[in-house]
Amino acid sequence: MKKLTSILLSLVLVFSFAACSNNSSDNSNTTPSTSQTADASKSTDENTQNSNTSSKILVVYYSATGSTKAVAETIADTSGADLFEITPVDPYTSDDLNWTDDNSRVSVEHNDESKRDVPLTKTTPDHWADYDKVFIGYPIWWGIAAWPVNNFVKGNDFSGKTVIPFCTSTSSGLGQSGDLLADMAGTGNWQDGERFSSGASSSKVESWVNGLDLK
């Protein structure tokens, strides 16, 4: 009788040990290890860091005849940027832009700096704070940036933004136009700009943009 009882107890212990072993095996298969959890967390962090380091770019431009607009659109297409057009409340007509006429609007404004305060339909682009790189384009008027750009520059805070000017002209260069706008702004990290001829090819604009560090 004692021998039979001893055998039964031994069998119970064997089955109990087998059940515990199975439970332990199941748990090891369904519960991630500490190293696996750490790897997953690291991967998530790296993806977040990559998304946070992507630049958000805006191309701002004023175009009197369409030349600057064409360059601005090529820059935006090449860099994946958003576009914002500077538009005066009172748009310039072709007669207004006749610089050979001393009585035209641009001639009068050129001769009297107090008349260059050009109200804009909208001064600050939507989500302005989100952009960390801003292109600013304009035609050259009498060796400086067309003054409809002035109120845009004066009306926005460029702190923390890299600003890249570009211009279009028939013969004039960029000159001091970018530096004058930087002084007017008082904030921002203003870079050397680029001048394009009226009717500049898309390939030339693309080549310039691709040579910039926009990351």
Side-chain angles (χ1 to χ4, degrees):
M1 185 66 176
K2 289 182 179 181
K3 184 176 181 180
L4 179 59
T5 301
S6 176
I7 292 173
L8 289 174
L9 287 173
S10 298
L11 289 173
V12 170
L13 289 173
V14 169
F15 286 127
S16 297
F17 179 76
C20 291
S21 297
N22 287 336
N23 287 338
S24 176
S25 176
D26 290 342
N27 287 339
S28 65
N29 289 333
T30 58
T31 303
S33 67
T34 301
S35 61
Q36 289 174 326
T37 304
D39 289 343
S41 177
K42 181 180 178 182
S43 176
T44 301
D45 289 343
E46 288 176 348
N47 289 335
T48 301
Q49 289 173 359
N50 289 336
S51 63
N52 288 340
T53 56
S54 298
S55 294
K56 190 167 178 60
I57 306 170
L58 179 66
V59 179
V60 178
Y61 70 94
Y62 169 69
S63 188
T65 63
S67 295
T68 308
K69 179 180 180 180
V71 173
E73 289 176 341
T74 301
I75 293 173
D77 289 342
T78 305
S79 63
D82 296 329
L83 277 169
F84 178 81
E85 182 176 7
I86 297 171
T87 54
V89 171
D90 184 13
Y92 288 77
T93 66
S94 57
D95 288 339
D96 291 337
L97 295 169
N98 184 6
W99 60 272
T100 63
D101 179 1
D102 291 340
N103 295 315
S104 71
R105 179 179 174 184
V106 290
S107 293
V108 171
E109 291 170 346
H110 169 255
N111 293 327
D112 185 351
E113 190 172 344
S114 68
K115 297 184 181 296
R116 299 181 197 173
D117 182 11
V118 181
L120 306 178
T121 58
K122 187 173 183 176
T123 302
T124 302
D126 294 337
H127 312 297
W128 172 248
D130 295 341
Y131 296 101
D132 50 20
K133 288 184 174 60
V134 181
F135 288 87
I136 298 183
Y138 45 84
I140 292 291
W141 289 357
W142 283 275
I144 62 176
W147 35 89
V149 176
N150 293 355
N151 277 342
F152 173 83
V153 171
K154 293 176 182 177
N156 289 294
D157 182 4
F158 292 87
S159 297
K161 302 183 189 300
T162 297
V163 188
I164 308 169
F166 66 94
C167 72
T168 58
S169 70
T170 302
S171 58
S172 301
L174 185 71
Q176 298 297 308
S177 62
D179 293 334
L180 292 173
L181 291 178
D183 292 341
M184 195 177 296
T187 57
N189 178 21
W190 289 69
Q191 305 294 300
D192 294 333
E194 184 71 11
R195 175 259 178 189
F196 296 96
S197 61
S198 300
S201 66
S202 296
S203 60
K204 183 173 183 179
V205 179
E206 291 169 0
S207 177
W208 175 64
V209 174
N210 289 330
L212 301 173
D213 181 12
L214 298 177
K215 294 181 181 180

